[in-house]
Amino acid sequence: GKQAYASKLVEGRQLGMSASRAEAREFFKGFAGDILVGNWDSAGRSCDNAFVTKDGKILRIDNGGAFLMRAQAGRKSPSQLDGVAELQGFFPHNALNIQNPGYHALAEKAGYASTKDFKDDFKKQVQDLTKLRDQYGGWSNFISQHAPGFAGEDRAAVLQMLESRHALL
């Protein structure tokens, strides 16, 4: 009678601060998705929220800082939902306004100072997000399909966030 979530166990290891350049670059293949959902904590403060599988894929294993919520507790402010400050705050050149030290460290390891340093891959990521949205006929239908029963002000805020952030990407 209770709702639960189950997943398959995978073998591998925590990404960690000792990530290689190749692993850091692999992590950045999910950058546009992190920005879309406002996943500020996908790397974790010490790259502890990412996992490397045996075949080298990177999994985000803690998405508590996505959408409306902050990773540690509480809600993000409405002004943080519709913008994409992460496009600056996750990169090394912005050391005065680091939004996540783990993401910042991975950007340094990858050799990325901005999305310009991986522009073709970033462009493909955004195109893939657009295809996903279009496949469902819009973000509203996507939410309805994947979160049935999600209603009210929070649903409206998530929908607005997805539409606004997608347009900015």
Side-chain angles (χ1 to χ4, degrees):
K2 293 184 180 179
Q3 194 171 40
Y5 176 79
S7 63
K8 293 180 182 180
L9 293 177
V10 294
E11 293 186 34
R13 63 177 171 74
Q14 195 173 45
L15 181 61
M17 293 299 275
S18 62
S20 69
R21 180 179 181 100
E23 290 169 338
R25 287 183 172 212
E26 183 68 22
F27 180 83
F28 267 84
K29 290 183 179 179
F31 182 71
D34 287 341
I35 303 304
L36 179 68
V37 301
N39 194 355
W40 296 352
D41 200 35
S42 61
R45 296 189 63 77
S46 59
C47 303
D48 55 341
N49 287 350
F51 189 82
V52 184
T53 65
K54 284 187 169 187
D55 63 353
K57 289 188 177 188
I58 304 292
L59 304 176
R60 282 146 169 81
I61 58 172
D62 181 348
N63 296 303
F67 294 108
L68 307 178
M69 304 305 291
R70 299 182 55 82
Q72 295 298 317
R75 290 170 134 350
K76 294 175 184 168
S77 71
S79 65
Q80 294 170 316
L81 300 179
D82 292 339
V84 289
E86 303 91 346
L87 285 173
Q88 313 308 317
F90 283 167
F91 290 103
H93 73 279
N94 197 22
L96 297 177
N97 189 25
I98 297 172
Q99 286 187 272
N100 179 302
Y103 230 120
H104 179 90
L106 288 171
E108 273 188 325
K109 286 187 184 243
Y112 298 154
S114 75
T115 55
K116 291 177 185 173
D117 293 330
F118 60 108
K119 65 182 175 186
D120 292 338
D121 189 45
F122 182 69
K123 183 178 178 180
K124 183 185 179 318
Q125 290 177 42
V126 174
Q127 289 170 342
D128 289 346
L129 291 171
T130 300
K131 287 178 190 175
L132 179 67
R133 180 202 59 196
D134 294 348
Q135 174 185 336
Y136 284 89
W139 290 122
S140 181
N141 290 337
F142 180 87
I143 293 170
S144 295
Q145 178 72 31
H146 294 282
F150 185 40
E153 291 178 17
D154 283 349
R155 184 191 193 284
V158 167
L159 177 59
Q160 171 61 34
M161 177 185 184
L162 290 173
E163 290 177 347
S164 175
R165 285 172 164 258
H166 186 247
L168 291 170
L169 286 173

